[in-house]
Amino acid sequence: MVRIISPHRNGNLSVMPLQEFVLDGFGGGPQTQALLFALFLVLYLVAILGNLTMIVVITLDACLHSPVYFFLKNLSFLDLCYSSVIYPKALTDLLSSSKVITLGGCVTQFIFISLLLTTEGFLLAVMAYDRFMAICSPLLTLRYPITMCPSVCARLMLGCYCGGCLNSILQTILHSITFSLPFCSSNHIDHFLYDVPPLLKLACADTTINELVLFSICGLIIVGTTLVVLTSYGYITVTILRMRSGGGRYKLFSTCGSHMTAVSLFYGTLFVMYAQPGAMESMEQGKVVSVFYTLVVLMLNPLIYSLRNKEVKDGLRRLGQKHTAT
């Protein structure tokens, strides 16, 4: 239960339970809100259609039934769910004078955001490991179909979800401690989604420990998975540069470049948002960064993987030909 401190006329303080918050979102008049609604709606629809297309193509095209596309399909599924946890509510708020979110809604959104965001971070690390196994060692490359068989891929994917669930549970427990802080006569959160940093801005008490715990956990996950990615792609880059075939080198750089682009966008914005204590002193800056990693990156992922990947483009072409033939 969140409790808010309210002053009496005699100067004494009383504590009242708080059942809901107001998400202030972005400032501006009706025209600004309408413009933002149109922009977010277009980006959200592109993200939905792009990720759905990737899921359908990879599922229906037998040529794409390999480990790298199995993980890519799960990445699209996570992006689809993640954007849908946030933006239907955000779009509704842009057209509404009442931007209220209940305490239960706050907790539900927070749980799913923590789960999906962490799972995606682990998945990107697994995808880098998969490329390392396929490219770097001749012995590993020969054994790749056995080493990365469907059951192993499924277990790795399950491990990503388990890691996401574990972090979500831990963050929720810590979040209940945050709710025990006294809040100073306001239930207005200066954000378009429910998140811990803007909530801590409302607290009357010292929140240094809360911030350090949050940044330590998030920083550990971000830095840990980033090291896996950087190590894997360090070996991959050296292996590709040693290749004599220019065509093979270009093909591998093109495939791995898509993943590295997606990883850089994802981890770069998350590091700015969660892995640096005091980095988001400006809530306006925080909202812009949040839009980037909760929508723009999710919209760009399917475009990056489809436009830079010949096999995906061929899969789209084959699917289109089948549809035309029927």
PDB file of all heavy atoms in Angstrom, residues 138-152:
ATOM      1  N   PRO A 138      36.440 -23.899 -36.332  1.00  0.00           N
ATOM      2  CA  PRO A 138      36.097 -24.936 -37.321  1.00  0.00           C
ATOM      3  C   PRO A 138      35.459 -26.172 -36.676  1.00  0.00           C
ATOM      4  O   PRO A 138      34.509 -26.733 -37.205  1.00  0.00           O
ATOM      5  CB  PRO A 138      37.461 -25.278 -37.943  1.00  0.00           C
ATOM      6  CG  PRO A 138      38.291 -24.056 -37.737  1.00  0.00           C
ATOM      7  CD  PRO A 138      37.841 -23.476 -36.430  1.00  0.00           C
ATOM      8  N   LEU A 139      35.986 -26.571 -35.508  1.00  0.00           N
ATOM      9  CA  LEU A 139      35.431 -27.738 -34.818  1.00  0.00           C
ATOM     10  C   LEU A 139      34.010 -27.453 -34.355  1.00  0.00           C
ATOM     11  O   LEU A 139      33.095 -28.267 -34.540  1.00  0.00           O
ATOM     12  CB  LEU A 139      36.315 -28.113 -33.630  1.00  0.00           C
ATOM     13  CG  LEU A 139      35.823 -29.317 -32.787  1.00  0.00           C
ATOM     14  CD1 LEU A 139      35.764 -30.575 -33.660  1.00  0.00           C
ATOM     15  CD2 LEU A 139      36.750 -29.541 -31.588  1.00  0.00           C
ATOM     16  N   LEU A 140      33.808 -26.265 -33.765  1.00  0.00           N
ATOM     17  CA  LEU A 140      32.470 -25.892 -33.320  1.00  0.00           C
ATOM     18  C   LEU A 140      31.514 -25.761 -34.496  1.00  0.00           C
ATOM     19  O   LEU A 140      30.338 -26.135 -34.419  1.00  0.00           O
ATOM     20  CB  LEU A 140      32.524 -24.575 -32.529  1.00  0.00           C
ATOM     21  CG  LEU A 140      33.186 -24.615 -31.153  1.00  0.00           C
ATOM     22  CD1 LEU A 140      33.239 -23.199 -30.566  1.00  0.00           C
ATOM     23  CD2 LEU A 140      32.436 -25.534 -30.212  1.00  0.00           C
ATOM     24  N   THR A 141      32.041 -25.228 -35.629  1.00  0.00           N
ATOM     25  CA  THR A 141      31.193 -25.040 -36.797  1.00  0.00           C
ATOM     26  C   THR A 141      30.704 -26.371 -37.345  1.00  0.00           C
ATOM     27  O   THR A 141      29.540 -26.514 -37.742  1.00  0.00           O
ATOM     28  CB  THR A 141      31.964 -24.267 -37.888  1.00  0.00           C
ATOM     29  OG1 THR A 141      32.398 -23.018 -37.345  1.00  0.00           O
ATOM     30  CG2 THR A 141      31.091 -24.014 -39.099  1.00  0.00           C
ATOM     31  N   LEU A 142      31.590 -27.397 -37.376  1.00  0.00           N
ATOM     32  CA  LEU A 142      31.195 -28.718 -37.842  1.00  0.00           C
ATOM     33  C   LEU A 142      30.158 -29.347 -36.923  1.00  0.00           C
ATOM     34  O   LEU A 142      29.258 -30.055 -37.371  1.00  0.00           O
ATOM     35  CB  LEU A 142      32.432 -29.624 -37.944  1.00  0.00           C
ATOM     36  CG  LEU A 142      33.426 -29.283 -39.064  1.00  0.00           C
ATOM     37  CD1 LEU A 142      34.677 -30.144 -38.946  1.00  0.00           C
ATOM     38  CD2 LEU A 142      32.775 -29.486 -40.439  1.00  0.00           C
ATOM     39  N   ARG A 143      30.278 -29.090 -35.632  1.00  0.00           N
ATOM     40  CA  ARG A 143      29.356 -29.674 -34.654  1.00  0.00           C
ATOM     41  C   ARG A 143      28.160 -28.753 -34.370  1.00  0.00           C
ATOM     42  O   ARG A 143      27.330 -29.083 -33.543  1.00  0.00           O
ATOM     43  CB  ARG A 143      30.109 -29.943 -33.340  1.00  0.00           C
ATOM     44  CG  ARG A 143      31.151 -31.039 -33.437  1.00  0.00           C
ATOM     45  CD  ARG A 143      31.859 -31.226 -32.096  1.00  0.00           C
ATOM     46  NE  ARG A 143      30.913 -31.436 -31.013  1.00  0.00           N
ATOM     47  CZ  ARG A 143      30.360 -32.615 -30.703  1.00  0.00           C
ATOM     48  NH1 ARG A 143      30.669 -33.682 -31.425  1.00  0.00           N
ATOM     49  NH2 ARG A 143      29.526 -32.728 -29.696  1.00  0.00           N
ATOM     50  N   TYR A 144      28.091 -27.624 -35.077  1.00  0.00           N
ATOM     51  CA  TYR A 144      27.049 -26.634 -34.793  1.00  0.00           C
ATOM     52  C   TYR A 144      25.629 -27.199 -34.859  1.00  0.00           C
ATOM     53  O   TYR A 144      24.824 -26.939 -33.964  1.00  0.00           O
ATOM     54  CB  TYR A 144      27.205 -25.448 -35.751  1.00  0.00           C
ATOM     55  CG  TYR A 144      26.124 -24.400 -35.605  1.00  0.00           C
ATOM     56  CD1 TYR A 144      26.107 -23.533 -34.513  1.00  0.00           C
ATOM     57  CD2 TYR A 144      25.117 -24.265 -36.562  1.00  0.00           C
ATOM     58  CE1 TYR A 144      25.114 -22.567 -34.382  1.00  0.00           C
ATOM     59  CE2 TYR A 144      24.127 -23.305 -36.436  1.00  0.00           C
ATOM     60  CZ  TYR A 144      24.124 -22.463 -35.352  1.00  0.00           C
ATOM     61  OH  TYR A 144      23.150 -21.523 -35.211  1.00  0.00           O
ATOM     62  N   PRO A 145      25.262 -27.966 -35.899  1.00  0.00           N
ATOM     63  CA  PRO A 145      23.894 -28.496 -35.941  1.00  0.00           C
ATOM     64  C   PRO A 145      23.548 -29.383 -34.756  1.00  0.00           C
ATOM     65  O   PRO A 145      22.383 -29.467 -34.350  1.00  0.00           O
ATOM     66  CB  PRO A 145      23.864 -29.300 -37.251  1.00  0.00           C
ATOM     67  CG  PRO A 145      24.955 -28.718 -38.086  1.00  0.00           C
ATOM     68  CD  PRO A 145      26.025 -28.340 -37.101  1.00  0.00           C
ATOM     69  N   ILE A 146      24.573 -30.047 -34.187  1.00  0.00           N
ATOM     70  CA  ILE A 146      24.327 -30.904 -33.018  1.00  0.00           C
ATOM     71  C   ILE A 146      24.339 -30.072 -31.743  1.00  0.00           C
ATOM     72  O   ILE A 146      23.477 -30.218 -30.875  1.00  0.00           O
ATOM     73  CB  ILE A 146      25.401 -32.018 -32.938  1.00  0.00           C
ATOM     74  CG1 ILE A 146      25.370 -32.872 -34.201  1.00  0.00           C
ATOM     75  CG2 ILE A 146      25.191 -32.877 -31.690  1.00  0.00           C
ATOM     76  CD1 ILE A 146      26.508 -33.875 -34.294  1.00  0.00           C
ATOM     77  N   THR A 147      25.348 -29.184 -31.644  1.00  0.00           N
ATOM     78  CA  THR A 147      25.480 -28.361 -30.438  1.00  0.00           C
ATOM     79  C   THR A 147      24.282 -27.444 -30.251  1.00  0.00           C
ATOM     80  O   THR A 147      23.804 -27.251 -29.134  1.00  0.00           O
ATOM     81  CB  THR A 147      26.762 -27.512 -30.517  1.00  0.00           C
ATOM     82  OG1 THR A 147      27.876 -28.371 -30.788  1.00  0.00           O
ATOM     83  CG2 THR A 147      27.009 -26.768 -29.212  1.00  0.00           C
ATOM     84  N   MET A 148      23.799 -26.867 -31.347  1.00  0.00           N
ATOM     85  CA  MET A 148      22.660 -25.947 -31.273  1.00  0.00           C
ATOM     86  C   MET A 148      21.411 -26.602 -31.873  1.00  0.00           C
ATOM     87  O   MET A 148      20.705 -26.022 -32.695  1.00  0.00           O
ATOM     88  CB  MET A 148      22.990 -24.644 -32.002  1.00  0.00           C
ATOM     89  CG  MET A 148      24.133 -23.861 -31.390  1.00  0.00           C
ATOM     90  SD  MET A 148      23.823 -23.325 -29.698  1.00  0.00           S
ATOM     91  CE  MET A 148      22.571 -22.084 -29.961  1.00  0.00           C
ATOM     92  N   CYS A 149      21.136 -27.821 -31.440  1.00  0.00           N
ATOM     93  CA  CYS A 149      19.950 -28.535 -31.907  1.00  0.00           C
ATOM     94  C   CYS A 149      18.686 -27.886 -31.317  1.00  0.00           C
ATOM     95  O   CYS A 149      18.780 -27.070 -30.388  1.00  0.00           O
ATOM     96  CB  CYS A 149      20.029 -30.007 -31.510  1.00  0.00           C
ATOM     97  SG  CYS A 149      20.026 -30.295 -29.727  1.00  0.00           S
ATOM     98  N   PRO A 150      17.507 -28.206 -31.829  1.00  0.00           N
ATOM     99  CA  PRO A 150      16.274 -27.565 -31.346  1.00  0.00           C
ATOM    100  C   PRO A 150      16.066 -27.646 -29.834  1.00  0.00           C
ATOM    101  O   PRO A 150      15.592 -26.679 -29.220  1.00  0.00           O
ATOM    102  CB  PRO A 150      15.174 -28.316 -32.100  1.00  0.00           C
ATOM    103  CG  PRO A 150      15.826 -28.734 -33.382  1.00  0.00           C
ATOM    104  CD  PRO A 150      17.240 -29.052 -33.010  1.00  0.00           C
ATOM    105  N   SER A 151      16.424 -28.772 -29.220  1.00  0.00           N
ATOM    106  CA  SER A 151      16.221 -28.894 -27.767  1.00  0.00           C
ATOM    107  C   SER A 151      17.141 -27.947 -26.994  1.00  0.00           C
ATOM    108  O   SER A 151      16.741 -27.364 -25.985  1.00  0.00           O
ATOM    109  CB  SER A 151      16.460 -30.344 -27.318  1.00  0.00           C
ATOM    110  OG  SER A 151      17.791 -30.745 -27.594  1.00  0.00           O
ATOM    111  N   VAL A 152      18.381 -27.770 -27.481  1.00  0.00           N
ATOM    112  CA  VAL A 152      19.313 -26.841 -26.834  1.00  0.00           C
ATOM    113  C   VAL A 152      18.817 -25.407 -26.991  1.00  0.00           C
ATOM    114  O   VAL A 152      18.839 -24.612 -26.044  1.00  0.00           O
ATOM    115  CB  VAL A 152      20.730 -26.989 -27.423  1.00  0.00           C
ATOM    116  CG1 VAL A 152      21.646 -25.880 -26.916  1.00  0.00           C
ATOM    117  CG2 VAL A 152      21.309 -28.344 -27.072  1.00  0.00           C
TER     118      VAL A 152
END
